[in-house]
């Protein structure tokens, strides 16, 4: 591919970037821009003019006190300049509105740049004085023509005026801040201009550039006006050493009167660098021609590095745009298309909800969240339910009993254990209560005495029932919180899914008119089932639990004896094996002879055995009979194809008729998608041909 064809491709690429910026993709792009900065505006302008071949002289004695962004585009014929002002952050809202009204005259062209800049100064309210100060506004000028290079120039205000001591500190601070802001931008290619007419020690632009580009990958320093130095002077020697420094890689040029023709200036420069000490500089780093060539190489490298990321960004934008169009659906002007649109939503709702409930996360809905925060927790519904059920079981274990019964050798939770416990779900308002077994047995004795009946001693069913009901009192509250928590997760899942499957207008109507009422029915059924499951907790006597109950009671006694033995062993390591065996035999005998135990101790053991068996049944019932049967099971059926078929035409129209803004949004998205796809094809082609292209030395030439 020749250079002319490359320039044509590059023009298309930059035009595409402009279009992408117009549709809001700017933040993801790194459009290359040539930032020209230094101490003297006259030198910067002369270099810009030499590179671009257009007159950019503003005023030989006074610099532009604001940033100028010059966008150059190649076009078949010259067109009028487009001019605009981007207000700086220091402007008030009223000033912003006034500055945004600035524009170029219809007949303005490149010969009227100075007039435009002066008009911009007036609009910005900058005084035409010796020290006008620096504005943080940006003047953007867009030029096009058949001989324009495809570039964006940024001309920054002077960092300081070494010969002008009247410039105030605020202006210097603003100029430095603007310079650093542009230099640190990774898309900026920095042209750092150093004038040989300024004292050697007063040059600081290279230090500022090195702060943000230490490897000098996108910085090119240029020394100007070398021909003005006195031959053999210390100043000439200093600048010669600077230009010869291989590490800095500076470029050397001469600047004669702008009245000289380009070919005459090129001839004078060639003669200057062929004599004296300057003939020892490498030819690659002297003259305007080689400067254009070096800038071309840097620009090419920058584009080559940025293009793959830019392509990835555009592909993401295409995917997002296609998703939005899919949610909007096709145009639906009549009842048949409106019903079909709702049927498509309901069909996908059933399918994806079924996947979520079965833990089969195959649909794209479950991945690619694009920065939506914690929404993945709500989308992966089965995983969420499993985790919350485990939290529920742990909470029931920790706080299910109103009072924790402490055996003689047990201790309450430590402060660290308590702090860790209350940080878990369903534990936020827990304050543990403890009771020793001895005190509890005393309470049982007192109750037995006060409620003595015709029953045999030790068979006080009422006491056992009261004790169990007191211990299990927290169950209902924990289960209710768990059920409502699951319901909230389900509700969030449904909202996310409908927003994924339809446009915002339709999803809002479906939620308010159809879905929310169905979700409320599921919540009512869930809480009704909880009431049913907790009814037995309020009965007078515990329910019989079959032949396993005596065994559980014996196990409870045995465990208590073994716990006491372990505590003794932990305190006294000198206990012999014979003593341990004797203790175990005693524990076994105590288990086999419950008649030796006190009546109150038996009641406590029976209550603990019944509690241990019943809490497992209760948790299983909450999960299976409540959450699974009353909430998750019916979830697939709250919005089905049959639901749509049962709707009247009026209901269908209310839900699926397109408002005008939806039609407009579809048209805009379709237009954006076309631009994105066209740009992607161009950039992929550009990415293929760029590595093999040799950048010529005709950068900026006609």
């Amino acid at each position: 591919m020749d250079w002319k064809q490359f320039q044509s491709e590059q023009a298309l690429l930059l035009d595409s970037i402009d279009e992408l910026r117009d549709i809001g993709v700017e933040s993801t792009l790194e459009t290359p821009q040539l930032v020209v900065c230094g101490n003297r505006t006259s030198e910067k302008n002369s270099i810009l003019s030499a590179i671009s071949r257009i007159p950019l002289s503003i005023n030989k004695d006074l610099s532009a006190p604001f940033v100028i962004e010059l966008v150059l585009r190649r076009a078949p014929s010259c067109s009028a300049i487009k001019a605009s002002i981007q207000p700086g952050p220091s402007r008030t809202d009223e000033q912003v509105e006034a500055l945004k009204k600035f524009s170029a005259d219809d007949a303005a062209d490149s010969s009227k740049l100075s007039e435009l800049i002066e008009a911009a100064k007036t609009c910005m309210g900058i005084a035409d004085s010796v020290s006008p100060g620096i504005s943080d506004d940006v003047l953007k000028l867009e030029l096009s023509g058949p001989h324009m290079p495809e570039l964006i120039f940024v001309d920054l205000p002077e960092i300081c005026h070494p010969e002008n001591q009247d410039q105030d500190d605020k202006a210097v601070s603003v100029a430095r801040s603007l310079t650093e802001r542009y230099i640190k931008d990774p898309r900026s290619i920095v042209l750092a201009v150093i004038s040989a007419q300024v004292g050697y020690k007063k040059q600081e632009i290279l230090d500022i550039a090195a702060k943000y580009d230490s490897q000098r990958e996108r910085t090119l320093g240029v020394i100007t006006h070398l021909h003005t130095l006195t031959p053999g002077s210390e100043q000439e020697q200093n600048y010669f050493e600077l230009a010869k420094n291989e590490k800095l890689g500076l470029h050397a040029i001469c600047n004669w009167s702008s009245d000289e023709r380009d070919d005459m200036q090129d001839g004078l420069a060639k003669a200057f660098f062929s004599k004296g000490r300057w003939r020892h500089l490498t030819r690659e780093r002297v003259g305007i021609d080689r400067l254009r060539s070096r800038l071309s190489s840097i620009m090419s490298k920058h584009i080559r590095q940025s293009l793959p990321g830019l392509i990835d960004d555009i592909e993401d934008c295409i995917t997002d745009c296609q998703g939005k169009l899919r949610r909007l659906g096709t145009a639906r002007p009549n009842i048949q298309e409106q019903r079909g649109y709702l049927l498509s939503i309901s069909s996908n709702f059933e399918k994806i909800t079924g996947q979520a409930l079965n833990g089969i996360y195959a649909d794209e809905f479950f991945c690619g969240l694009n920065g939506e925060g914690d929404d993945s927790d709500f989308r992966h519904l089965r995983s969420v339910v499993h985790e919350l059920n485990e939290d529920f079981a742990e909470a029931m274990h920790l706080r299910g009993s109103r009072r924790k019964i402490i055996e003689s050798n047990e201790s309450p939770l430590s402060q660290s254990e308590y702090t860790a416990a209350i940080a878990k779900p369903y534990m936020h308002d827990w304050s543990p209560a403890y009771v020793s077994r001895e005190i509890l047995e005393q309470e049982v004795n007192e109750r037995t005495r006060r409620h003595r009946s015709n029953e045999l001693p030790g068979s006080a069913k009422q006491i056992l029932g009261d004790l169990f009901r007191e211990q299990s009192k927290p169950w209902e509250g924990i289960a209710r919180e768990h059920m409502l928590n699951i319901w909230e997760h389900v509700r969030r899942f449904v909202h996310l899914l409908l927003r994924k499957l339809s446009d915002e207008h339709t999803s809002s109507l479906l939620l308010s008119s159809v879905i929310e009422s169905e979700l409320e029915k599921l919540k009512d059924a869930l809480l009704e089932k909880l009431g049913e499951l907790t009814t037995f907790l309020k009965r007078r006597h515990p329910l019989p639990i079959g032949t396993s109950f005596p065994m559980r009671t014996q196990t409870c006694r045995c465990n208590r004896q073994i716990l006491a033995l372990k505590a003794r062993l932990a305190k006294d390591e000198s206990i012999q094996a014979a003593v341990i065996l004797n203790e175990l035999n005693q524990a076994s005998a105590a288990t086999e002879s419950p008649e030796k135990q006190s009546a109150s101790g038996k009641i406590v053991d029976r209550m603990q055995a019944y509690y241990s068996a019943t809490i497992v049944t209760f948790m299983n019932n909450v999960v299976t009979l409540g959450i699974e049967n009353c909430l998750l099971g019916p979830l697939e059926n709250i919005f089905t194809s049959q639901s749509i078929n049962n709707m009247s035409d009026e209901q269908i129209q209310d839900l699926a008729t397109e408002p005008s803004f939806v039609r407009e949004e579809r048209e805009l998205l379709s237009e954006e998608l076309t631009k994105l796809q066209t740009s992607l094809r161009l950039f992929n082609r550009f990415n293929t041909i760029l590595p093999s292209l040799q950048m010529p030395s005709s950068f900026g030439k006609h």
Side-chain angles (χ1 to χ4, degrees):
M1 175 178 287
D2 60 23
W3 174 243
K4 183 177 180 181
Q5 186 178 353
F6 172 79
Q7 280 284 294
S8 177
E9 294 283 354
Q10 189 179 20
L12 288 173
L13 182 144
L14 294 175
D15 288 341
S16 295
I17 288 177
D18 285 342
E19 286 190 345
L20 293 175
R21 184 182 296 110
D22 291 338
I23 61 177
V25 195
E26 181 179 16
S27 61
T28 64
L29 305 179
E30 290 188 358
T31 311
Q33 58 186 13
L34 183 61
V35 176
V36 186
C37 50
N39 296 93
R40 298 188 66 177
T41 297
S42 57
E43 279 73 21
K44 294 189 287 137
N45 291 337
S46 63
I47 290 178
L48 282 177
S49 298
I51 293 173
S52 64
R53 300 294 190 181
I54 60 175
L56 296 176
S57 178
I58 300 168
N59 188 313
K60 293 183 178 180
D61 301 316
L62 190 64
S63 66
F66 45 79
V67 176
I68 300 176
E69 288 189 6
L70 190 62
V71 181
L72 306 181
R73 293 285 182 264
R74 183 159 298 198
S77 60
C78 294
S79 61
I81 296 176
K82 294 181 181 179
S84 60
I85 294 177
Q86 298 174 350
S90 65
R91 295 294 188 177
T92 64
D93 292 342
E94 184 178 352
Q95 291 173 330
V96 167
E97 291 302 318
L99 291 172
K100 284 185 176 180
K101 295 178 181 178
F102 178 82
S103 62
D105 182 86
D106 292 339
D109 56 29
S110 59
S111 65
K112 297 183 178 181
L113 281 179
S114 293
E115 296 178 17
L116 270 175
I117 293 170
E118 290 301 319
K121 287 173 61 177
T122 301
C123 183
M124 294 177 189
I126 298 175
D128 190 6
S129 62
V130 176
S131 180
I134 303 295
S135 171
D136 56 4
D137 300 323
V138 177
L139 173 62
K140 183 174 182 180
L141 302 172
E142 300 180 56
L143 291 79
S144 59
H147 305 304
M148 292 289 184
E150 296 291 339
L151 283 176
I152 299 176
F153 287 115
V154 179
D155 186 20
L156 299 178
E158 295 184 33
I159 296 177
C160 62
H161 293 268
E163 293 84 8
N164 181 5
Q165 302 300 322
D166 296 327
Q167 189 175 29
D168 57 50
D169 292 339
K170 182 179 179 181
V172 173
S173 176
V174 173
R176 181 179 293 274
S177 176
L178 287 170
T179 300
E180 294 194 1
R181 188 183 82 187
Y182 276 91
I183 288 179
K184 71 181 179 182
D185 187 337
R187 67 176 179 164
S188 294
I189 296 170
V190 181
L191 193 64
V193 180
I194 300 170
S195 174
Q197 292 180 313
V198 177
Y200 175 75
K201 295 182 180 180
K202 295 180 180 180
Q203 307 289 355
E204 56 179 331
I205 187 60
L206 290 179
D207 294 333
I208 297 176
K211 180 180 178 182
Y212 300 102
D213 182 28
S214 58
Q215 300 301 316
R216 301 184 183 279
E217 295 178 345
R218 52 185 182 84
T219 301
L220 179 58
V222 181
I223 307 176
T224 69
H225 287 83
L226 292 173
H227 63 289
T228 64
L229 298 173
T230 303
S233 66
E234 181 182 358
Q235 186 86 327
E236 186 192 46
Q237 177 64 28
N238 289 334
Y239 274 105
F240 174 72
E241 294 296 332
L242 188 66
K244 195 174 65 172
N245 190 315
E246 292 289 339
K247 183 178 179 181
L248 294 177
L250 302 182
H251 200 91
I253 65 173
C254 298
N255 303 69
W256 278 274
S257 169
S258 59
D259 296 331
E260 302 284 359
R261 296 197 314 271
D262 292 338
D263 56 346
M264 294 181 63
Q265 291 205 23
D266 292 341
L268 290 171
K270 186 175 181 180
F272 175 81
F273 287 112
S274 63
K275 60 185 180 181
R277 66 179 68 191
W278 303 109
R279 72 181 185 277
H280 298 294
L281 294 180
T282 174
R283 298 300 92 184
E284 179 66 23
R285 303 214 309 264
V286 298
I288 287 293
D289 276 350
R290 301 311 302 166
L291 176 61
R292 296 189 189 107
S293 178
R294 292 182 70 184
L295 284 175
S296 292
S297 298
I298 296 174
M299 293 284 286
S300 173
K301 181 180 179 182
H302 181 89
I303 294 174
R304 187 183 298 119
Q305 291 174 340
S306 301
L307 207 53
L310 186 147
I311 290 173
D312 290 341
D313 290 336
I314 294 175
E315 289 176 342
D316 290 341
C317 290
I318 288 175
T319 301
D320 181 63
C321 192
Q322 289 173 333
K324 291 177 180 178
L325 281 170
R326 188 165 51 250
R327 288 193 292 274
L328 291 176
T330 57
R332 42 189 190 275
N334 56 53
I335 188 66
Q336 290 79 12
E337 286 153 342
Q338 292 165 6
R339 191 179 293 273
Y341 175 61
L342 294 180
L343 284 170
S344 174
I345 296 173
S346 64
S347 175
N348 286 320
F349 181 89
E350 286 184 86
K351 180 191 72 174
I352 297 175
T353 300
Q355 291 181 4
L357 292 174
N358 291 306
I360 304 172
Y361 309 119
D363 193 88
E364 64 175 11
F365 169 74
F366 300 105
C367 58
L369 300 180
N370 295 325
E372 292 184 36
D374 296 330
D375 283 347
S376 59
D377 292 340
F378 298 96
R379 297 181 186 218
H380 300 157
L381 191 56
R382 178 52 65 184
S383 300
V384 172
V385 171
H386 276 314
E387 186 174 346
L388 291 176
N389 282 338
E390 292 174 359
D391 293 335
F392 168 62
E394 186 173 5
M396 288 289 289
H397 170 71
L398 288 172
R399 65 177 302 184
S401 58
R402 186 179 71 87
R403 294 188 296 178
K404 171 68 176 175
I405 301 174
I406 303 297
E407 302 292 344
S408 58
N409 295 294
E410 285 186 289
S411 301
L413 290 177
S414 66
Q415 182 60 42
S416 60
E417 291 172 329
Y418 170 72
T419 301
I422 61 174
K424 298 177 180 178
Y426 310 126
M427 300 293 294
H428 53 88
D429 59 349
W430 178 51
S431 181
Y434 301 99
V435 61
S436 67
R437 185 178 182 88
E438 291 77 12
I439 292 178
L440 184 58
E441 289 184 5
Q442 291 176 14
E443 290 181 7
V444 171
N445 280 330
E446 180 61 23
R447 292 188 185 192
T448 303
R449 184 186 64 78
R450 288 189 281 108
H451 297 90
R452 186 174 298 169
S453 65
N454 293 329
E455 297 172 346
L456 294 174
S459 60
K461 292 182 180 179
Q462 180 177 345
I463 303 301
L464 177 59
D466 290 344
L467 198 59
F468 169 74
R469 281 189 291 275
E470 290 175 4
Q471 282 295 87
S472 61
K473 192 172 182 179
W475 290 8
E476 184 173 6
I478 301 172
R480 181 184 180 87
E481 183 178 358
H482 177 52
M483 285 180 164
L484 291 178
N485 192 20
I486 295 283
W487 182 85
E488 285 290 349
H489 278 73
V490 166
R491 182 174 181 269
R492 181 66 184 275
F493 166 84
V494 170
H495 279 238
L496 289 171
L497 180 54
L498 280 177
R499 288 206 296 269
K500 173 72 174 178
L501 298 177
S502 62
D503 61 88
E504 185 176 353
H505 176 74
T506 304
S507 62
S508 298
L509 289 176
L510 286 172
L511 287 168
S512 60
S513 303
V514 180
I515 304 300
E516 285 293 353
S517 61
E518 293 296 325
L519 290 174
E520 287 297 326
K521 290 178 184 177
L522 294 182
K523 186 193 340 185
D524 292 342
L526 194 62
L527 296 179
E528 183 179 351
K529 178 58 68 174
L530 176 61
E532 180 184 326
L533 295 176
T534 55
T535 299
F536 81 96
L537 298 177
K538 304 176 179 67
R539 290 176 179 168
R540 189 170 184 81
H541 303 298
L543 296 173
I545 55 176
T547 57
S548 64
F549 179 64
M551 181 61 68
R552 287 181 179 275
T553 305
Q554 291 178 1
T555 301
C556 181
R557 296 193 191 106
C558 183
N559 289 339
R560 182 159 44 83
Q561 294 286 341
I562 291 174
L563 283 173
L565 177 58
K566 286 181 178 179
R568 287 188 58 200
L569 291 173
K571 292 181 179 179
D572 189 355
E573 297 180 356
S574 64
I575 299 178
Q576 300 298 317
V579 177
I580 297 174
L581 180 61
N582 182 52
E583 293 283 356
L584 289 173
N585 288 334
Q586 290 180 9
S588 177
T591 301
E592 295 169 358
S593 304
E595 65 274 2
K596 295 182 181 180
Q597 188 182 20
S598 66
S600 59
K602 292 178 183 178
I603 291 175
V604 174
D605 282 345
R606 289 175 181 174
M607 186 277 295
Q608 288 181 295
Y610 184 72
Y611 181 96
S612 299
T614 308
I615 193 172
V616 175
T617 302
F618 177 75
M619 288 189 295
N620 287 334
N621 287 341
V622 166
V623 171
T624 55
L625 301 181
I627 294 170
E628 293 293 334
N629 288 2
C630 297
L631 178 60
L632 300 181
L635 185 61
E636 290 180 88
N637 301 318
I638 66 172
F639 187 56
T640 64
S641 300
Q642 189 60 46
S643 305
I644 305 303
N645 290 328
N646 290 338
M647 291 181 182
S648 66
D649 288 352
E650 290 75 14
Q651 289 175 300
I652 295 293
Q653 289 175 338
D654 290 341
L655 291 172
T657 298
E658 280 188 321
S660 58
F661 67 82
V662 171
R663 291 193 296 272
E664 293 170 2
E665 183 177 2
R666 184 186 291 108
E667 292 173 1
L668 287 174
L669 286 171
S670 299
E671 184 179 334
E672 289 180 12
L673 181 61
T674 300
K675 291 180 180 179
L676 287 166
Q677 291 171 335
T678 301
S679 297
L680 182 62
R681 288 192 294 270
L682 172 65
F683 292 171
N684 278 326
R685 183 170 182 272
F686 203 86
N687 195 37
T688 302
I689 61 106
L690 187 59
S692 60
L693 184 68
Q694 294 297 320
M695 303 298 289
S697 61
S698 57
F699 183 95
K701 282 191 174 183
H702 293 192

